[in-house]
Amino acid sequence: MKRSRRRFLEASAGTAAWGAAAALGLIAVMPAGAARNAAGFDSKAAAEAVKHLGATDALESKDIIITAPDIAENGAVVPIAVTSKLPNTQSISIIAEKNPFPLAATFDFGSGAEGYASVRLKMGQTSNVRAIVKADGKFYTAVKEVKVTVGGCG
Amino acid sequence: MAEPMRIRATLQGDVADVRILMRHPMETGQRKDAKGQVIPLHFIQNVVVSHNGKTVFDAQWSQAVSRDPFLGLRIKGAKAGDKIMVTWTDNKGDKRSDEATVAPPS
């Protein structure tokens, strides 16, 4: 009980800060301390997380390559790499659609970094892994299914 | 408290391939200990990477990232000897920064 109350407080504080920052037009300004998308990270459904990323109208793109195993034997450590060949890639988000909190990571790139990030995730069950790329102000997406034989959320 | 990271940065052409291994429990807040008590959330929320003092990469993470996280990224326009600085911050406000230099191609 106590924990859920704290989560709620954190979430509402985070959302308020996010809203304030958006109002001031601070969010578009990248490097150095991009505001945390608390609402996105607290989303419990993939569609909700996508909405909080502002990417509901993302286009499918073949220029996004998700490198992940077809079958992950250990859900606690699933290596996932995303490469974006889209020009002017600003950020990459990774969503494990069936995780309790689907949004796993958002990577923001300054001008000095290539549109590539590699990370290891925990996955509770077999699920689509969705990458959402923001490039030149527009959103693009790609998806890959990863089968998980032993879940990693226990 | 936090243990040092292992950072390896290798030059490939003019791109530095950076691999970082952090030490962190990355608790999801869903596991229980032997007594059935929930182990509280404890995870790295933010990782910032800078190249010669300029921020080039900013990662926001959830608790879904695996324990002892690995992070790979590529920095353009790098030269051997350039400084790569990595700083993480977790949800309890713990921080850790480590620095590495870009190694020439092997």
Side-chain angles (χ1 to χ4, degrees), chain A residues 7 10 36 41-42 103-104 122, chain B residues 24-29 40-46 60-66 69 88-94:
Chain A
R7 276 209 72 88
E10 270 174 8
R36 184 173 178 82
F41 280 107
D42 278 342
L103 180 57
K122 288 175 273 210
Chain B
H24 201 280
M26 299 300 284
E27 283 298 342
T28 58
L41 262 176
H42 186 203
F43 66 103
I44 294 177
Q45 283 191 311
N46 178 233
Q60 303 288 331
W61 281 356
S62 81
Q63 57 273 40
V65 174
S66 301
W88 60 249
T89 313
D90 72 16
N91 65 324
K92 295 184 179 174
D94 251 351

Side-chain angles (χ1 to χ4, degrees), chain A residues 138-149:
Chain A
K138 290 204 187 82
F139 287 98
Y140 300 89
T141 184
V143 84
K144 176 172 170 47
E145 189 188 38
V146 177
K147 288 199 164 68
V148 176
T149 39

Side-chain angles (χ1 to χ4, degrees), chain A residues 69 71-80 96 99-100 120-127 129 146-154, chain B residues 28 63-67:
Chain A
I71 298 174
E73 286 185 12
N74 180 2
V77 187
V78 184
I80 293 174
N99 267 11
R120 295 192 298 218
L121 300 183
K122 288 175 273 210
M123 285 179 64
Q125 55 179 301
T126 296
S127 160
V129 173
V146 177
K147 288 199 164 68
V148 176
T149 39
V150 182
C153 280
Chain B
T28 58
Q63 57 273 40
V65 174
S66 301
R67 187 191 318 161

